Amino acid sequence: MRTYFSERHRMHFPQAELHGGELVTPYERPSRVEYVLARLKERGLTDIVDPGEADMGPIRDMSDPGYLAFLESAWDEWKAAGFAGEIIATSTPVRRMQTGRPPRNIDGKVGYYALASETAITRTTWEATLSSAASAQAATAHVISGAWAAFALCRPPGHHATADMYGGYCFINNAALAAEQFRASGAGRVAILDIDFHHGNGTQDIFYGRGDVFFASLHGAPEDAFPYFLGFADETGEGDGEGSTANYPMSPGTGYGEWSGALDDAISRIRAFGAEALVVSLGVDAFKDDPISFFKLDSPDFMDAGRRIAGLGLPTVFCMEGGYAIEAVGINAVNVLEGFEGA
């Protein structure tokens, strides 16, 4: 399986994340990728290719124009306003506030486009974000050209990003880009399977009203886990998308038995949907030792998950998402890929 990866991911490395009332080293940091790369090479998966530049056309088609303009100009506006640190949202529109008028002031604008405050923006975050999107696009193009599967080692990740909001370490939704690329290539129906511990709220939001892309997410129950406000089991789509969303929220302490049962159900629904291509949001933070999650999967479980996903027999793109037990992230991510390839 070919991996697409850009060294430009290093251009996004905020020095702080707001967590538990403290500024800490971000859980989503460049070293995550180094562990994945090291594991790929250790296992002989050395077909690793730079993706080149991102195709901005599909990114613009999928995104709110004001949001993209914000991402491109935020750092310059922030510095012009005299702020010394990294960009972190300090105020956001909430219940009974105006939500359709982006502020002119950059401090307000940041809050308008942020869905969470843990995610900082640096001087070169935009460049890193585009390199991540490019990896997803190149991996999808490789599969469209005839490969069975490809791995987009995306960083920053993407599944929390909507068409007009960032957060959860995500700025552009790479899985959504890949799905749209499959659709543009002629696939009538595409499925996105999100196995990250955290609900793929951004992906759901993008496709919630559409019937051509099926979205399934296995995640921590919203009552207990970020992003908290989306991902309930009764969210099944609306309008043309009714029935094309399947959420599997699970409680603290969930082990592989329950989790794999949810995976099997999601797979059966993807098969019934008639998907012609598959995008997997490959988060491995369901791991038992992840510092910001509460499922109890062990490393061999991820290999079995890969085997089960392979049973769909679909052209597949894996987009890297979360996983914050740093020393295990490479083992767990590559286990999914090897399980898939060995099926």
Side-chain angles (χ1 to χ4, degrees), residues 70 74-76 78 85-89 106 110 119-122 166:
F70 160 77
W75 184 258
D76 290 341
W78 186 256
E86 296 174 340
I87 301 174
I88 298 176
I106 184 59
V110 170
T119 303
I121 295 175
T122 73
Y166 74 94

Side-chain angles (χ1 to χ4, degrees), residues 5-264:
F5 156 76
S6 173
E7 289 285 354
R8 288 168 289 168
H9 81 93
R10 302 177 192 279
M11 299 176 79
H12 176 64
F13 188 12
Q15 297 307 294
E17 171 183 337
L18 184 60
H19 176 80
E22 299 178 293
L23 288 173
V24 302
T25 301
Y27 289 101
E28 202 296 292
R29 53 187 183 264
S31 57
R32 296 174 63 243
V33 166
E34 299 309 314
Y35 281 98
V36 178
L37 286 172
R39 184 63 174 178
L40 285 168
K41 293 171 183 177
E42 180 182 326
R43 300 297 296 170
L45 302 174
T46 56
D47 186 5
I48 302 171
V49 178
D50 184 277
E53 299 299 318
D55 182 350
M56 287 302 301
I59 295 172
R60 291 192 186 96
D61 290 344
M62 191 182 74
S63 305
D64 173 77
Y67 174 59
L68 284 188
F70 160 77
L71 289 177
E72 292 182 74
S73 66
W75 184 258
D76 290 341
E77 291 186 54
W78 186 256
K79 288 303 168 182
F83 296 121
E86 296 174 340
I87 301 174
I88 298 176
T90 58
S91 61
T92 55
V94 295
R95 289 183 293 277
R96 294 177 297 284
M97 285 187 176
Q98 296 268 0
T99 58
R101 302 182 185 183
R104 280 191 295 268
N105 182 284
I106 184 59
D107 185 43
K109 196 181 293 185
V110 170
Y112 180 82
Y113 287 115
L115 59 84
S117 297
E118 83 293 278
T119 303
I121 295 175
T122 73
R123 180 177 62 84
T124 49
T125 291
W126 179 234
E127 289 84 348
T129 297
L130 290 182
S131 77
S132 184
S135 292
Q137 290 176 325
T140 308
H142 183 57
V143 173
I144 289 170
S145 71
W148 183 37
F151 177 35
L153 182 46
C154 297
R155 185 184 172 272
H159 72 149
H160 293 306
T162 72
D164 59 356
M165 289 184 289
Y166 74 94
Y169 314 131
C170 304
F171 301 94
I172 295 294
N173 196 306
N174 302 308
L177 267 182
E180 293 284 38
Q181 192 169 341
F182 273 128
R183 287 282 295 115
S185 75
R189 291 187 160 205
V190 178
I192 301 174
L193 174 62
D194 191 326
I195 62 171
D196 190 281
F197 167 81
H198 300 95
H199 178 247
N201 61 292
T203 314
Q204 175 173 308
D205 185 71
I206 289 169
F207 295 111
Y208 202 61
R210 288 174 50 175
D212 56 345
V213 177
F214 184 88
F215 173 67
S217 178
L218 285 62
H219 53 269
E223 298 94 335
D224 302 305
F226 180 90
Y228 299 113
F229 308 111
L230 212 62
F232 294 91
D234 60 1
E235 297 162 12
T236 59
E238 63 184 10
D240 292 343
E242 180 58 50
S244 293
T245 294
N247 283 306
Y248 299 87
M250 289 169 273
S251 302
T254 291
Y256 190 61
E258 181 181 353
W259 191 92
S260 63
L263 176 62
D264 287 344

Side-chain angles (χ1 to χ4, degrees), residues 265-299:
D265 191 75
I267 288 170
S268 69
R269 292 197 58 180
I270 289 169
R271 187 176 289 114
F273 176 73
E276 299 166 41
L278 176 67
V279 180
V280 178
S281 273
L282 178 54
V284 292
D285 40 2
F287 182 56
K288 63 181 181 178
D289 295 328
D290 197 276
I292 56 174
S293 309
F294 55 61
F295 287 169
K296 299 301 178 184
L297 274 64
D298 208 344
S299 293

